[in-house]
């Protein structure tokens, strides 16, 4: 018999409890061992559930019960989650979590403790909700060197951008609709400022490249500055604007990691990812591009990923899984000066002729562009070049206002 | 030290040899054990390779060498592969294969032997080449009940259809181009007749639903009958024609399994899968739709999937992986009479008025349709209905010629 405890009974936690309790028979058969939820930790009262007897407000019950070998952490946040998870691992209990903030900020340390104690620390649900991504990354791509990860990692922002693109809704209206539909929190900052996507790219980059990437090392820009005009202009270049998280291995062993609104060609698979869906493209040296796609959030998708990890723990109760990365260091995440890229540029000037003249002389009149003389706007996509060179050129334009976005072609 | 043997040194086999030999250091570090290729079995001579000393023409060397714990089968075909693999498993050696024909025809039997002998029989590379699909199916979706699998499972036919759609190339020209580019074999029957996709849907369905599905149980139709006219008409309904493999769990515990050209709405993610790419959508009760996408064939993608399986075997040399299904039975695969579907219908009649009149009275004049009175052609997409009812209605049309395709909306 394997006993588990669930810490947190919010959206995901209740889903985990329901699956583990309602599908106990199927799960026990698959793991060839009986599994029981012994405690559910939550400060609130849940008196009318079929499993109300399992609730406790005392973490001590869990940490001090030697029967408990697997603990599920689905409380969210870092403060308590970090303390409790650390205690559990130190006490020799395996931990499964869906908490991306915790893994992005404390992953390296917690993995190290898990390794020392020969227990598992698994977190498939922390990226992409129910989309299997971390395990395929580690296992199926084991024979690959991973070059690059690019993804739409946040469903809320993708929903908002999609509404702007398809229904010509402005940002605020789209955000309100997302709130109404339950896709955005009342305080949507973590989503629209890009922090959620940032945490996920940290986890993906850490796992793919072997060293911890901390959220503050990632250049992160949200979608609050994206306007309907941007969306319309991008459309004229047969592109859509998506919030893209990207991490890439550089030749010197360092990496880049960014989250930013990106002008994505409709030729790219990622441009077709609509609504609250997520998609993650992994480029390996042997496989080329492989993409994983699905709903990146939601109670049951996320809970099912947590339960799959619990089952994996249960099957390998005496054998640690190979999920590991080293700690990071200052300067490990750096700027990309290697690649030839294209930038999307929006420029505006009261002296429109001067803007056009400078554009013609710096970039060449035949660079793909849209001139809107009514609004004094010039929008173009540069040819390929190094980022620094392109930025220098753009800064030399005779413009009063300039907005730059990266592109994916 | 772990010793392996590779049976077959064709496209995939040479890729496996190269990865295992050139990346030995990285692989050994990851599996925490040294791994060496001891034999490569092939009837041909390879004298100028850095590893020419490993070749043998004698299977006896492999089967009788107790050092060999993992055997890679990448010969293809069933006759010899089946005999050798069976001998290896019976002798207590784990086997990794990319041979979809072998798994689709003999999977249940070979898995059973592997289970009895407590060794592994892994075949990730048999479906989707380098796309991780079988392992995520088993592991990450462990907490899901899988309802349905739908996929573009053959890159060659997808390339041909894509050329017909995008470049208006006719079938024969597109097939010739595929041959030139090395995407199609000189004898392309297995691809264009749908057999390759059929084998893959057999493996996916067997794994997802727990019982072996044999190729002869799958209604299989290739793409040789798809014309440029079909492609053009589909386009007018905002659809594309794709060769779709599909398997679905029915309420009575039986399943459906089909491979056929299908009219796919451009709203479906699968409609965006172009060129030689594959994509597989898995619908689970908790996760909803999850899609896996990538190059479904090719030397290095497939070889990397084989090597990942070898590494998994090496890490679990004493612990069998959970990859299992029961044998199938006659009547397990059946027709789908449960679902409401839409059919795409092409009808032609010398008496065009009679055709139109019968259409108006049977399906209703407001059913989405295209009338081409110059060619006496009527093309339409039915409303939702049970397949049998729809077919009966279609058979009642006053038509000289009728062509029906299933749809995905």
């Amino acid at each position: 018999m394997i006993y588990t405890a669930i810490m947190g009974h919010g959206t995901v936690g209740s889903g985990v409890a329901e699956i583990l309790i309602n599908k106990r028979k199927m799960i026990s058969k698959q793991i060839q061992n009986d599994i029981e939820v012994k405690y559910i930790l939550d400060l609130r009262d849940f008196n009318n559930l079929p499993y109300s007897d399992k609730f406790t407000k005392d973490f001590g019950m869990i940490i001090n019960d030697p029967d408990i070998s697997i603990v599920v952490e689905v409380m969210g946040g870092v403060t308590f989650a970090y303390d409790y998870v650390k205690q559990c691992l130190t006490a020799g209990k395996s931990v499964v979590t869906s908490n991306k903030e915790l893994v992005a900020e404390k992953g390296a340390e917690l993995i190290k403790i898990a390794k020392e104690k020969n227990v598992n620390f698994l977190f498939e649900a922390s990226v992409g909700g129910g989309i299997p991504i971390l395990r395929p990354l580690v296992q199926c791509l084991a024979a690959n060197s991973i070059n690059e990860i690019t993804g739409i990692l946040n469903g809320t922002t993708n929903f908002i951008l999609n509404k702007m693109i398809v229904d010509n809704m402005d940002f605020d209206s789209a955000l309100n609709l997302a709130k109404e539909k339950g896709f955005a929190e009342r305080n949507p900052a973590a989503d629209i400022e890009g922090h959620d996507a940032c945490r996920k790219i940290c986890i993906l980059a850490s796992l793919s490249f072997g060293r911890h990437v901390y959220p503050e090392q990632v250049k992160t820009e949200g979608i609050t500055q994206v306007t309907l005009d941007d969306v319309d202009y991008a459309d004229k270049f047969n592109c859509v604007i998506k919030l893209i998280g990207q991490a890439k291995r550089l030749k010197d062993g360092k990496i880049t990691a960014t989250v930013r609104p990106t002008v994505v060609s409709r030729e790219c698979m990622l441009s077709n990812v609509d609504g609250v869906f997520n998609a993650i493209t992994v480029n390996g040296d042997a496989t080329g591009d492989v993409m994983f796609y699905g709903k990146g959030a939601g109670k049951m998708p996320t809970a099912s990923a947590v339960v799959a990890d619990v089952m994996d723990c249960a099957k390998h109760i005496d054998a640690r899984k190979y999920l590991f990365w080293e700690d990071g260091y200052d300067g490990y995440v750096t700027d990309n000066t290697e690649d030839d890229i294209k930038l999307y540029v929006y420029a505006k000037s009261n002296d429109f002729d001067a803007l056009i003249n400078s554009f013609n002389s710096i970039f060449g009149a035949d660079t793909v562009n849209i001139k809107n003389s009514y609004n004094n706007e010039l929008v173009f996509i540069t040819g390929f070049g190094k980022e620094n060179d392109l930025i220098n050129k753009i800064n030399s334009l005779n413009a009063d206002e300039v907005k730059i976005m990266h592109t994916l072609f």
Side-chain angles (χ1 to χ4, degrees), chain A:
Chain A
M1 174 74 87
I2 291 171
Y3 291 100
T4 67
I6 302 171
M7 305 195 295
H9 193 262
T11 307
V12 178
S14 58
V16 172
E18 285 163 26
I19 298 178
L20 281 177
I21 292 167
N22 298 338
K23 292 197 175 176
R24 179 173 173 177
K25 220 170 171 178
M26 179 194 106
I27 291 169
S28 297
K29 188 182 161 197
Q30 279 196 46
I31 62 172
Q32 305 185 328
N33 204 333
D34 198 9
I35 186 160
E36 187 180 321
V37 177
K38 193 163 174 185
Y39 308 108
I40 301 175
L41 178 73
D42 203 295
L43 295 181
R44 294 165 296 177
D45 291 309
F46 294 91
N47 293 323
N48 298 312
L49 294 172
Y51 51 86
S52 286
D53 57 311
K54 298 183 186 294
F55 280 86
T56 174
K57 292 174 179 159
D58 177 13
F59 173 67
M61 300 278 285
I62 295 169
I63 192 73
N64 294 320
D65 186 338
D67 279 355
I68 299 288
S69 55
I70 303 170
V71 178
V72 175
E73 186 278 302
V74 279
M75 305 185 294
V78 169
T79 321
F80 287 100
Y82 170 58
D83 180 32
Y84 289 177
V85 167
K86 198 170 163 179
Q87 286 193 52
C88 289
L89 293 171
T90 306
K93 300 176 193 302
S94 286
V95 173
V96 172
T97 184
S98 63
N99 187 336
K100 44 199 152 283
E101 202 178 346
L102 177 69
V103 181
E105 298 204 358
K106 305 290 183 184
E109 182 189 351
L110 295 171
I111 286 173
K112 194 159 169 263
I113 300 173
K115 192 182 178 193
E116 283 163 11
K117 294 292 174 180
N118 202 34
V119 293
N120 285 302
F121 178 53
L122 301 181
F123 39 87
E124 177 66 62
S126 67
V127 182
I131 311 170
I133 170 69
L134 301 186
R135 190 170 282 109
L137 250 190
V138 173
Q139 292 196 328
C140 303
L141 305 177
N144 271 265
S145 296
I146 294 168
N147 301 316
E148 191 175 321
I149 302 157
T150 309
I152 293 171
L153 302 169
N154 179 274
T156 309
T157 47
N158 202 53
F159 174 85
I160 293 171
L161 290 171
N162 202 217
K163 282 288 156 193
M164 293 173 73
I165 294 163
V166 176
D167 297 334
N168 216 35
M169 221 178 246
D170 64 32
F171 176 82
D172 290 327
S173 311
L175 173 57
N176 284 333
L177 183 64
K179 284 184 188 170
E180 268 170 41
K181 285 186 172 274
F183 298 151
E185 315 268 334
R186 224 176 319 160
N187 178 357
D191 290 322
I192 63 176
E193 302 288 357
H195 303 312
D196 178 77
C198 167
R199 289 167 193 146
K200 292 169 182 166
I201 200 69
C202 286
I203 298 171
L204 290 167
S206 301
L207 199 56
S208 301
F209 305 134
R211 269 197 188 283
H212 197 103
V213 176
Y214 291 93
E216 59 270 24
Q217 295 181 297
V218 179
K219 273 194 186 169
T220 301
E221 188 190 330
I223 63 163
T224 54
Q225 304 304 313
V226 177
T227 65
L228 267 183
D229 280 345
D230 294 327
V231 165
D232 287 343
Y233 279 125
D235 182 57
K236 293 192 169 54
F237 292 114
N238 199 29
C239 294
V240 290
I241 299 178
K242 296 280 181 192
L243 184 66
I244 297 289
Q246 192 168 43
K248 191 170 170 153
R249 189 199 296 273
L250 301 177
K251 288 197 197 91
D252 60 5
K254 296 184 176 180
I255 69 154
T256 63
T258 52
V259 171
R260 58 195 169 199
T262 302
V263 174
V264 181
S265 161
R266 286 194 199 269
E267 303 284 307
C268 292
M269 240 351 229
L270 288 176
S271 73
N272 300 309
V273 175
D274 291 337
V276 292
F277 282 82
N278 284 197
I280 298 152
T281 303
V282 178
N283 182 278
D285 62 349
T287 55
D289 279 342
V290 173
M291 192 178 93
F292 304 86
Y293 165 93
K295 280 209 181 107
K299 173 176 172 171
M300 294 317 276
T302 309
S304 77
V306 170
V307 172
D309 270 352
V310 170
M311 291 168 70
D312 209 7
C313 279
K315 284 192 283 191
H316 298 89
I317 205 79
D318 299 316
R320 236 181 60 76
K321 298 282 294 179
Y322 299 76
L323 210 60
F324 189 71
W325 60 73
E326 311 273 343
D327 201 359
Y329 61 84
D330 280 354
Y332 170 54
V333 182
T334 178
D335 290 329
N336 183 355
T337 53
E338 286 177 6
D339 288 352
D340 281 328
I341 61 168
K342 288 182 176 195
L343 293 175
Y344 164 99
V345 183
Y346 166 97
K348 190 168 180 164
S349 171
N350 283 327
D351 187 346
F352 194 56
D353 288 341
L355 172 58
I356 299 301
N357 287 336
S358 65
F359 166 71
N360 288 345
S361 69
I362 297 170
F363 288 96
D366 56 347
T367 303
V368 195
N369 72 83
I370 296 164
K371 297 185 189 81
N372 181 339
S373 64
Y374 182 74
N375 288 332
N376 291 335
E377 293 170 331
L378 168 72
V379 186
F380 63 98
I381 292 178
T382 69
F384 280 109
K386 308 280 181 227
E387 182 164 351
N388 286 343
D389 295 343
L390 293 175
I391 300 275
N392 285 339
K393 282 180 168 185
I394 293 164
N395 287 339
S396 309
L397 287 171
N398 265 321
D400 303 328
E401 188 188 333
V402 163
K403 186 170 181 175
I404 300 171
M405 276 193 267
H406 282 71
T407 64
L408 271 186
F409 275 91

